[in-house]
């Protein structure tokens, strides 16, 4: 990271304040420049906030040796850093900053050129959430230092129950962040880093597996934000060149199938590299039969809600039987996800699933326990 010049000009690093716009549908960034950068209700400030809770001259942001600092200007309702009232404090990327009850998150980025002073703008009076998603400050460290690992769950053939491969699931190892991937993705999506986190999970799983010779097929999850990125298919090609014996299948969640053109291009690129494609969570929101017919995957993974309690749900069995018949006509392998009991497994075998996965066949485990 380049340090900022002593004269306070932004150099190649830009600090910014991030807030949630109306409806919480997107984030707005306000560049912190020029310095000193004053915040308050009065006009002609670096940032003018149209809220009666904010003082006319509320706080000031400045640079000290390349660090961003905030100083409260004896405001009526105070300036808070990560929920603690502060008269003066250094700021780090990801800190949550309140001017009275108006909330921002602190961020920074590298620039090709220095930003212009006219990039600063005033924002209106709109409702902000009480707090940003926790963990935003720690997530950059997790990504930078690759503080993740992977566990692996068996995928078996039916009706034999023999092992066909493993699906990898990412886990966080940062002490200040959740371990569970869904919670980590919630943090990552709040700051626009979901694609980077998804890549890191996948890269780490491959690194772990590469140390294990004769590993069976590996199913790897991909976030919808990565769809359309040419580097996605290229990364699988590179892995196949390094480990031609390793069978890979990319799992794309059903919700990512809206861009059918991008999915078709991805499938073609993966097929050329000898990599399979699976549609994960089929039926979780809606059964995308059109996408299934026009761009059939190699594997179709039925969501656990279809499988849970299937042994006592005859109507659902008839529905699944029809969907499995469609998949068979398209020469698509079918995977029953979330199988937890012997009775569920028996019904899945009888209905004609080609594969299954779930606690009945094995829980996710670290590689040394496989």
């Amino acid at each position: 990271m380049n340090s900022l010049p002593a004269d306070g000009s932004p150099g190649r690093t830009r600090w910014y304040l991030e807030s949630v716009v109306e409806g919480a549908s997107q984030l707005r960034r306000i560049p912190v420049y020029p310095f000193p950068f004053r915040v308050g209700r009065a006009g002609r400030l670096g940032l003018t906030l149209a809220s009666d809770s904010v003082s006319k001259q509320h706080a000031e942001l400045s640079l000290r040796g390349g660090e961003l600092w905030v100083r409260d200007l004896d405001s009526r309702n105070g300036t808070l850093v990560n929920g603690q009232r502060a008269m003066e404090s250094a700021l780090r990327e990801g800190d949550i900053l309140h001017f009275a009850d108006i909330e921002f998150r602190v961020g920074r980025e590298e620039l090709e050129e220095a930003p212009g002073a006219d990039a600063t703008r005033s924002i209106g009076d709109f409702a902000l959430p009480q707090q940003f998603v926790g963990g935003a400050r720690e997530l950059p460290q997790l990504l930078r230092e690759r503080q993740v690992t992977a566990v692996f769950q068996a995928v078996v053939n039916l009706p034999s129950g023999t092992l066909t491969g493993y699906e990898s699931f990412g886990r966080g190892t940062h002490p200040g962040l959740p371990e569970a991937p869904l919670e980590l993705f919630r943090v990552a999506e709040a700051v626009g880093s979901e694609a980077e986190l998804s890549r890191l999970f996948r890269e780490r799983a491959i690194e772990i597996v590469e140390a294990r010779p004769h590993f069976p097929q590996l199913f790897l999850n991909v976030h919808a934000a990565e769809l359309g990125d040419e580097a996605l298919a290229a990364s699988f090609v590179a892995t196949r060149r390094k480990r031609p014996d390793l069978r890979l299948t990319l799992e794309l969640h059903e919700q990512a199938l809206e861009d059918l053109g991008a999915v078709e291009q991805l499938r073609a690129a993966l097929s050329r590299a000898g990599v399979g494609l699976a549609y994960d969570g089929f039926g979780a929101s809606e059964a995308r039969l059109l996408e299934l017919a026009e761009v059939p995957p190699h594997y179709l993974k039925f969501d656990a809600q279809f499988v849970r309690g299937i042994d006592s749900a005859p109507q659902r069995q008839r529905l699944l039987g029809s969907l499995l018949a469609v998949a068979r006509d398209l020469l698509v392998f079918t995977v029953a996800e979330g199988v937890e009991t012997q009775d569920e497994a028996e019904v899945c075998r009888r209905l004609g699933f080609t594969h299954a996965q779930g606690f009945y066949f094995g829980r996710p485990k670290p590689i040394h326990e496989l």
Side-chain angles (χ1 to χ4, degrees):
M1 181 72 68
N2 294 326
S3 62
L4 294 158
D7 61 2
S9 62
R12 294 182 181 275
T13 300
R14 178 175 72 175
W15 291 91
Y16 58 83
L17 300 178
E18 197 167 48
S19 66
V20 180
V21 299
E22 295 86 342
S25 60
Q26 59 181 328
L27 295 174
R28 173 180 294 174
R29 289 181 174 181
I30 301 99
V32 180
Y33 178 76
F35 294 101
F37 184 90
R38 289 206 166 191
V39 179
R41 198 174 72 250
R44 297 184 179 182
L45 298 178
L47 175 59
T48 299
L49 299 172
S51 171
D52 291 339
S53 66
V54 176
S55 299
K56 290 184 178 181
Q57 298 276 343
H58 195 100
E60 181 180 271
L61 297 166
S62 60
L63 285 175
R64 302 180 189 177
E67 289 188 325
L68 186 66
W69 283 71
V70 63
R71 180 170 64 92
D72 186 79
L73 299 178
D74 295 323
S75 65
R76 182 175 66 255
N77 293 312
T79 299
L80 288 79
V81 178
N82 299 320
Q84 301 297 317
R85 191 155 183 163
M87 291 304 298
E88 194 169 37
S89 176
L91 298 173
R92 296 188 298 168
E93 182 179 10
D95 279 344
I96 306 303
L97 186 60
H98 283 84
F99 305 112
D101 59 350
I102 307 298
E103 183 182 45
F104 296 90
R105 182 171 50 220
V106 178
R108 67 178 181 181
E109 61 184 343
E110 294 297 306
L111 299 175
E112 294 295 329
E113 297 178 358
D118 58 355
T120 305
R121 59 187 172 192
S122 171
I123 61 176
D125 185 13
F126 51 79
L128 287 171
Q130 292 185 352
Q131 62 179 20
F132 279 97
V133 174
R137 183 176 61 185
E138 292 82 5
L139 187 68
Q141 182 185 24
L142 177 144
L143 296 172
R144 184 173 59 253
E145 299 183 7
R146 303 172 64 82
Q147 294 175 311
V148 300
T149 188
V151 293
F152 303 87
Q153 185 177 38
V155 179
V156 303
N157 288 293
L158 292 181
S160 66
T162 57
L163 180 70
T164 191
Y166 293 95
E167 179 180 353
S168 72
F169 296 96
R171 296 288 188 268
T173 60
H174 189 289
L177 288 168
E179 177 186 2
L182 288 179
E183 295 180 41
L184 278 176
F185 271 113
R186 188 170 68 90
V187 177
E189 288 168 358
V191 296
S193 297
E194 59 269 38
E196 187 176 358
L197 178 61
S198 177
R199 286 193 298 272
L200 179 58
F201 276 147
R202 192 167 59 253
E203 290 169 0
R204 185 68 186 115
I206 292 173
E207 289 171 1
I208 292 172
V209 166
E210 284 178 341
R212 173 75 65 96
H214 312 299
F215 195 86
Q217 183 170 196
L218 179 62
F219 292 80
L220 295 160
N221 290 283
V222 172
H223 194 280
E226 297 183 81
L227 191 61
D229 185 352
E230 295 181 358
L232 175 59
S235 67
F236 280 87
V237 172
T239 301
R240 286 284 292 159
R241 287 174 179 170
K242 186 176 181 181
R243 279 287 302 272
D245 62 308
L246 181 60
R247 296 170 57 205
L248 299 173
T249 295
L250 178 154
E251 293 197 16
L252 195 61
H253 197 274
E254 181 195 54
Q255 294 176 345
L257 301 183
E258 294 181 359
D259 190 347
L260 199 58
V263 174
E264 187 171 17
Q265 291 180 4
L266 177 62
R267 185 187 190 281
L270 293 174
S271 295
R272 288 193 296 269
V275 177
L277 177 65
Y279 293 166
D280 187 25
F282 185 75
S285 54
E286 57 180 292
R288 296 184 176 276
L289 296 177
L290 176 62
E291 290 84 346
L292 176 62
E294 293 197 7
V295 188
H298 301 96
Y299 292 87
L300 184 63
K301 304 187 74 173
F302 283 76
D303 191 75
Q305 69 177 7
F306 269 125
V307 177
R308 190 173 299 113
I310 189 64
D311 52 299
S312 58
Q315 292 184 339
R316 204 184 329 149
Q317 291 179 26
R318 287 193 289 271
L319 172 61
L320 271 177
S322 299
L323 293 174
L324 290 170
V326 172
R328 279 195 298 272
D329 289 342
L330 296 171
L331 304 179
V332 174
F333 293 119
T334 51
V335 184
E337 293 189 299
V339 179
E340 296 188 354
T341 69
Q342 182 177 355
D343 290 339
E344 291 172 351
E346 289 299 329
V347 172
C348 289
R349 290 187 180 102
R350 177 169 55 80
L351 289 175
F353 277 98
T354 63
H355 296 78
Q357 178 179 356
F359 289 171
Y360 177 71
F361 300 103
R363 292 176 176 269
K365 300 176 182 178
I367 196 165
H368 66 270
E369 295 183 13
L370 300 183

